[in-house]
Amino acid sequence: MGTEIYYFSGSGNSLHVARELQKRIPKAKLIPIVSLLNNENIKTSANTVGFVFPIHLAMIPRPVMEFLPKLNLNSAEYIFAAVTRIGTRHRAFKDLEKILKKKGKGLDAFFNLNMASNDPKSKEFKAATADQIAEIELEVQNKLDYIQDIVINKKIVLQKDTKFTVAIPGFSVLSPFLPFFNKMFNYDFYADSKCTGCRTCEKVCLSGKIKMIDAKPVWQKDVKCFFCYACLNYCPEKAVQIKSSRFFKVYTEENERYSHPYANADDITGQK
């Protein structure tokens, strides 16, 4: 029966965690969530099932939310989730529990892993340095050793999150409204004059939103964006930008980019 780990990753943090868990858990199989999104009925045959994904806007990412209701978990005897984040408080485990409850299941363990940010929109953003990444990786590896013991021995670990480092003012009040904000949430992407037409952004776009027209990427309005920022962070020329709005100034033109050092553009594309 073994273990199946379903994962989603835009800039490599969650992919790295999923790969490391596969090394540590016997007979573990990695399954990219994006590759299954066009299937209406998805059935696992594993007795241990894991989910690995990043936190988006303090929630489960859109593609993972689309995937979860389609998944038949009848064979699952133990279910865990591991999320990557910059330290943000979130409601992902609460929402995951609601979905699992409808299937007659529940989370047996969940884990947060604080990692480097891949979101260069804000003025304060600084891409993680090599030293910072090394420090983060040491903590991640220690956490993965802990997760390995929990999952292999099927221990119940449902601890309250006390390790978040990024507070959201009024989170308890705002939390019920986050799904609404998530549906309305949108950014306008574009490629500036540095674009060479290399097609990397189109290749790594997990939603299929980017289409090359006259050797330039176009973000199609009728295709939902997954907000994974793969196009933003894997462009070799840093040509992909986000437009500022009337209410929100964006600093992608000034800022550097981040992708996990152990995950390249081909790795991200391989999820499709």
Side-chain angles (χ1 to χ4, degrees):
M1 300 284 279
T3 299
E4 290 183 345
I5 300 173
Y6 295 88
Y7 74 93
F8 170 75
S9 184
S11 56
N13 285 347
S14 292
L15 174 57
H16 176 60
V17 168
R19 284 171 166 173
E20 290 297 307
L21 285 174
Q22 183 185 34
K23 293 177 185 177
R24 289 168 162 81
I25 300 171
K27 299 181 180 179
K29 180 181 179 183
L30 291 189
I31 304 173
I33 287 172
V34 172
S35 70
L36 300 173
L37 287 179
N38 291 329
N39 299 349
E40 288 305 316
N41 297 296
I42 306 161
K43 186 175 182 179
T44 180
S45 58
N47 54 17
T48 296
V49 173
F51 302 105
V52 180
F53 54 84
I55 294 299
H56 285 184
L57 196 64
M59 296 178 62
I60 297 173
R62 284 183 182 179
V64 183
M65 284 296 287
E66 291 179 17
F67 159 78
L68 289 169
K70 302 177 183 181
L71 182 61
N72 183 326
L73 289 164
N74 287 345
S75 68
E77 299 170 359
Y78 185 86
I79 301 174
F80 71 94
V83 302
T84 59
R85 62 179 185 177
I86 60 171
T88 317
R89 191 176 178 186
H90 63 84
R91 55 174 284 169
F93 297 139
K94 180 180 179 181
D95 290 340
L96 183 51
E97 278 279 25
K98 287 182 180 179
I99 296 170
L100 293 175
K101 187 176 181 180
K102 293 178 181 178
K103 300 174 180 291
K105 300 291 183 178
L107 271 178
D108 295 295
F110 52 74
F111 314 97
N112 294 289
L113 295 99
N114 292 350
M115 300 182 76
S117 172
N118 74 336
D119 186 354
K121 294 192 303 295
S122 71
K123 188 175 183 179
E124 295 76 23
F125 174 83
K126 300 292 182 185
T129 65
D131 287 344
Q132 288 171 330
I133 290 173
E135 184 178 348
I136 291 169
E137 180 64 7
L138 181 61
E139 293 182 8
V140 166
Q141 290 296 329
N142 289 336
K143 188 67 175 281
L144 288 167
D145 289 342
Y146 167 74
I147 295 173
Q148 173 188 9
D149 174 67
I150 299 298
V151 173
I152 288 177
N153 293 292
K154 294 183 169 58
K155 297 178 182 179
I156 308 299
V157 178
L158 303 171
Q159 297 175 345
K160 185 176 180 180
D161 182 15
T162 60
K163 300 291 186 181
F164 62 87
T165 60
V166 180
I168 299 176
F171 180 80
S172 298
V173 176
L174 291 173
S175 182
F177 302 100
L178 286 176
F180 172 76
F181 292 145
N182 192 38
K183 288 182 180 179
M184 302 298 293
F185 185 66
N186 194 26
Y187 283 116
D188 289 327
F189 292 82
Y190 69 98
D192 66 20
S193 60
K194 297 191 296 292
C195 177
T196 63
C198 72
R199 308 183 76 97
T200 299
C201 58
E202 180 188 41
K203 183 172 74 171
V204 300
C205 180
L206 297 177
S207 67
K209 188 176 180 67
I210 300 175
K211 184 177 181 180
M212 298 298 291
I213 299 177
D214 296 329
K216 295 292 182 182
V218 175
W219 282 257
Q220 303 169 87
K221 294 186 181 299
D222 60 341
V223 179
K224 286 184 180 180
C225 181
F226 289 167
F227 299 107
C228 67
Y229 293 162
C231 62
L232 195 65
N233 288 297
Y234 280 99
C235 174
E237 305 300 328
K238 302 183 183 68
V240 176
Q241 313 294 347
I242 296 176
K243 292 180 181 178
S244 295
S245 70
R246 183 171 54 176
F247 306 104
F248 186 69
K249 170 68 174 172
V250 175
Y251 294 87
T252 56
E253 290 186 0
E254 294 92 337
N255 287 337
E256 291 296 312
R257 302 291 191 259
Y258 167 83
S259 59
H260 197 280
Y262 299 152
N264 59 35
D266 288 336
D267 295 325
I268 300 302
T269 304
Q271 294 176 77
K272 294 193 283 189

